[in-house]
Amino acid sequence: MTDKTELRAAALDSKAWPYEEARKLLKRYPDGAPAKGHVLFETGYGPSGLPHIGTFNEVLRTTMVRRAFEALSDIPTRLIAFSDDMDGLRKVPDNIPNKEMLAEHLGKPLTRIPDPFGTHDSFAAHNNALLREFLDRFGFDYEFVSSTDYYEGGKFDDALRNVLRHYQGIMDVMLPTLRKERQATYSPVLPVSPKSGVVLQVPIEVLDAEAGMIAFDDDGERVEQSILGGRAKLQWKVDWAMRWVALGVDYEMAGKDLIDSVIQSSKITRVLGGRPPEGFNYEMFLDEKGEKISKSKGNGLSLEQWLTYGPDESLAFYIYREPKKAKALHLGLIPRAVDDYWQFRGNYADQPIAQQLGNPVHHIHNGPPPAETLPVTFGLLLNLVGVMGEASKEQVWGYLANYVPDATPDAYPALDNLIGYALAYARDFVTPTLSRRAPEGVEVAALQRLDAELAALPADASAEDIQNLVYEIGKTGGFENLRDWFKALYETLLGSEQGPRMGSFIALYGIANSRRLIAEALAKA
């Protein structure tokens, strides 16, 4: 890789989206560091449910922009992972125990609801712990912030007084966006009932902005109460704006479904005398049917599912690419993502710096990736273990020893890791779907010829020599096109509609084993 000066110069012109985002922050502070001394990145999280792939997506992409900015500037940076745990619980999640107990606390702040799992002081504390464990697992550099801690600890007191000072201005922003029925009850401030502990959705009257005093109706009784010290929270869009101003947030991205929230919160930020952060709206993930992924519908793919069948880098690679384009997210994408990641990683070292900065692996690894190469593709591994059926890592390495020089787990640790993923993926998604059909027509003679030609080759014939042989048989075997020949090989020998480069597969699986597959196929003809 090159020195920092050359890297910075190239990054200033790079079209890679993290650098494009980072340049927004350079323009934000053309004269150097802001008064607070750093540039602040924020990601938000609602702890009413468990951390999920969307959380990983947002923190990962924000971290990529942060690292890109650090390559362009010497201004210090911070990343806050903000948990909105003062939010009132709106509904009981489906995937938790003790639902009846939780139902008794609907409407209360998440930090004031008992933990249904029985392991923490509150439901929010349980989910916050999972969030931190989740982020730590991937080595994210962040600072965790609890909304409750900031509300109850007084860190938002000045910002809350500022909301009351600009109460009418905020109402002027919000009311035109609401239905008439909602306009009648809307309030930017949500007091916590002193009777029930519920976060109330009721109109308020500002009594004294400097003292933080408001009045509201609580079950037919007029209550005068301070909004400071955790006795109120703000409506979501107002809360977001208040937080941007109070913390001095410079960058926060959000999903396309929050475009309206970003617009309204930005207006409120200006009403409060602040400057909205930079950021962009990323597109949403879709399921196999092209429908938006929904936690309540359960049609999404969990982080744990992806990481059962593919490594972290494959998911990071998929998330990095085309963030403003709606993309499917399902298990069938994993093999391609793994192989694409390794292809880009293999290309990196020989690329000029401009291409390296646009290479996804540069942003996944925050610079040059590890030097290890992958001698076989993940797709080829899947074809191998699919044909093998029940197999162990040791058995797979036995085949690899005939194909890859010095093939050992110590020499290729990344490959050893991928074998585990391939065994799991093939077991659950490949092997159950394999169905080898009988060869027919010209396929029979072509397979007989392939068998005879393979028998004449030495056991250590190269993948290239075998591929040339397969190619020649297809050209002269009476097929309308080569695609039909390769499709016949996949369907009769491997049991699938798609497959690998056959020369590589036969070299890996072994000529003798491959001839056995051919014999089994011909026996059906």
Side-chain angles (χ1 to χ4, degrees):
M1 193 61 184
T2 186
D3 62 34
K4 186 175 181 180
T5 302
E6 190 178 353
L7 170 64
R8 184 166 290 182
L12 284 169
D13 293 324
S14 176
K15 291 182 171 57
W17 68 262
Y19 288 117
E20 291 182 337
E21 291 302 300
R23 288 195 291 269
K24 294 180 185 177
L25 290 164
L26 283 183
K27 292 179 182 178
R28 187 178 177 92
Y29 295 117
D31 300 323
K36 63 180 181 291
H38 61 270
V39 166
L40 183 63
F41 295 79
E42 181 181 59
T43 63
Y45 165 71
S48 59
L50 307 180
H52 55 90
I53 205 164
T55 309
F56 177 82
N57 164 53
E58 195 160 306
V59 179
L60 176 68
R61 285 176 172 165
T62 302
T63 295
M64 288 176 172
V65 177
R66 181 188 183 190
R67 298 307 179 209
F69 177 77
E70 290 171 343
L72 294 173
S73 172
D74 296 321
I75 300 175
T77 66
R78 294 170 58 206
L79 170 61
I80 284 178
F82 190 94
S83 173
D84 190 16
D85 53 21
M86 265 289 285
D87 199 17
L89 181 66
R90 294 178 180 84
K91 65 177 183 178
V92 177
D94 292 331
N95 55 347
I96 62 162
N98 298 314
K99 294 179 184 177
E100 297 79 8
M101 179 272 288
L102 215 60
E104 296 174 6
H105 297 276
L106 283 174
K108 293 181 182 178
L110 295 162
T111 43
R112 300 175 191 176
I113 295 175
D115 177 19
F117 297 89
T119 58
H120 291 76
D121 292 339
S122 69
F123 186 36
H126 174 272
N127 290 344
N128 284 339
L130 286 179
L131 172 68
R132 299 175 77 165
E133 179 184 326
F134 175 90
L135 298 179
D136 292 343
R137 170 183 175 183
F138 298 102
F140 288 118
D141 177 19
Y142 70 98
E143 301 165 41
F144 176 79
V145 173
S146 159
S147 176
T148 299
D149 289 348
Y150 273 49
Y151 270 101
E152 292 183 351
K155 293 182 180 179
F156 282 155
D157 280 359
D158 287 342
L160 291 171
R161 293 187 185 98
N162 197 31
V163 167
L164 293 186
R165 290 186 204 110
H166 296 90
Y167 184 84
Q168 189 55 51
I170 294 170
M171 292 290 279
D172 291 343
V173 170
M174 289 304 303
L175 289 182
T177 70
L178 304 173
R179 300 187 308 273
K180 283 191 175 181
E181 316 85 74
R182 186 75 178 99
Q183 289 177 354
T185 61
Y186 178 82
S187 167
V189 179
L190 306 177
V192 177
S193 168
K195 296 179 181 179
S196 65
V198 168
V199 179
L200 300 175
Q201 300 262 356
V202 293
I204 68 155
E205 176 188 350
V206 178
L207 299 178
D208 187 335
E210 301 311 314
M213 291 298 296
I214 62 169
F216 57 92
D217 181 273
D218 185 3
D219 195 24
E221 178 183 343
R222 177 181 168 86
V223 175
E224 295 184 1
Q225 178 174 293
S226 170
I227 68 169
L228 308 180
R231 283 170 286 189
K233 79 172 299 287
L234 301 180
Q235 285 276 10
W236 142 242
K237 293 173 187 175
V238 185
D239 185 274
W240 208 10
M242 178 276 293
R243 190 194 314 164
W244 288 345
V245 176
L247 303 178
V249 176
D250 294 301
Y251 189 90
E252 183 161 5
M253 59 178 64
K256 184 181 178 180
D257 56 334
L258 295 180
I259 287 178
D260 178 67
S261 296
V262 171
I263 293 171
Q264 304 310 325
S265 294
S266 296
K267 291 179 181 178
I268 295 168
T269 298
R270 296 185 184 96
V271 169
L272 295 174
R275 182 181 181 184
E278 310 299 326
F280 77 99
N281 295 101
Y282 53 82
E283 260 288 1
M284 311 306 291
F285 288 124
L286 307 174
D287 66 9
E288 289 179 280
K289 298 177 182 177
E291 297 177 356
K292 178 183 169 183
I293 286 176
S294 164
K295 284 188 290 183
S296 60
K297 287 169 62 177
N299 62 332
L301 175 66
S302 74
L303 191 74
E304 290 73 19
Q305 285 175 308
W306 185 295
L307 298 181
T308 298
Y309 305 110
D312 299 0
E313 297 90 348
S314 64
L315 178 58
F317 176 88
Y318 191 73
I319 285 175
Y320 169 85
R321 304 193 76 186
E322 302 177 305
K324 292 196 174 184
K325 178 181 177 182
K327 294 190 293 186
L329 187 65
H330 55 81
L331 290 167
L333 298 164
I334 294 176
R336 176 69 181 273
V338 173
D339 279 336
D340 283 353
Y341 161 77
W342 277 98
Q343 183 179 353
F344 276 87
R345 178 165 159 175
N347 294 340
Y348 185 87
D350 296 328
Q351 291 176 327
I353 184 172
Q355 281 186 273
Q356 288 181 335
L357 297 186
N359 189 322
V361 302
H362 181 85
H363 301 276
I364 293 168
H365 295 282
N366 192 28
E372 184 179 353
T373 58
L374 198 65
V376 297
T377 65
F378 189 62
L380 188 56
L381 277 180
L382 286 176
N383 285 117
L384 173 64
V385 298
V387 170
M388 290 173 66
E390 289 291 328
S392 65
K393 267 192 176 184
E394 291 73 23
Q395 289 172 314
V396 176
W397 275 111
Y399 283 99
L400 288 168
N402 299 322
Y403 183 73
V404 180
D406 305 318
T408 65
D410 289 338
Y412 294 99
L415 177 57
D416 186 58
N417 193 35
L418 279 184
I419 291 172
Y421 290 117
L423 287 169
Y425 192 90
R427 178 194 66 227
D428 294 343
F429 302 108
V430 177
T431 304
T433 66
L434 296 180
S435 178
R436 298 177 201 162
R437 68 167 175 84
E440 51 193 35
V442 297
E443 297 170 353
V444 175
L447 284 172
Q448 289 171 338
R449 183 180 167 191
L450 176 60
D451 180 63
E453 297 273 11
L454 289 177
L457 289 177
D460 61 350
S462 71
E464 197 60 38
D465 286 343
I466 298 172
Q467 183 68 18
N468 289 337
L469 183 155
V470 173
Y471 187 80
E472 185 62 29
I473 292 173
K475 283 203 306 182
T476 59
F479 294 92
E480 288 189 15
N481 55 63
L482 278 170
R483 186 183 300 126
D484 290 343
W485 167 228
F486 287 112
K487 190 169 184 289
L489 288 171
Y490 301 148
E491 293 178 350
T492 62
L493 303 185
L494 305 182
S496 61
E497 294 182 357
Q498 298 178 327
R501 198 167 183 265
M502 287 305 297
S504 298
F505 174 79
I506 293 171
L508 174 59
Y509 195 48
I511 288 178
N513 287 324
S514 299
R515 291 188 65 205
R516 177 176 53 79
L517 287 179
I518 295 171
E520 291 173 358
L522 290 172
K524 298 178 182 178

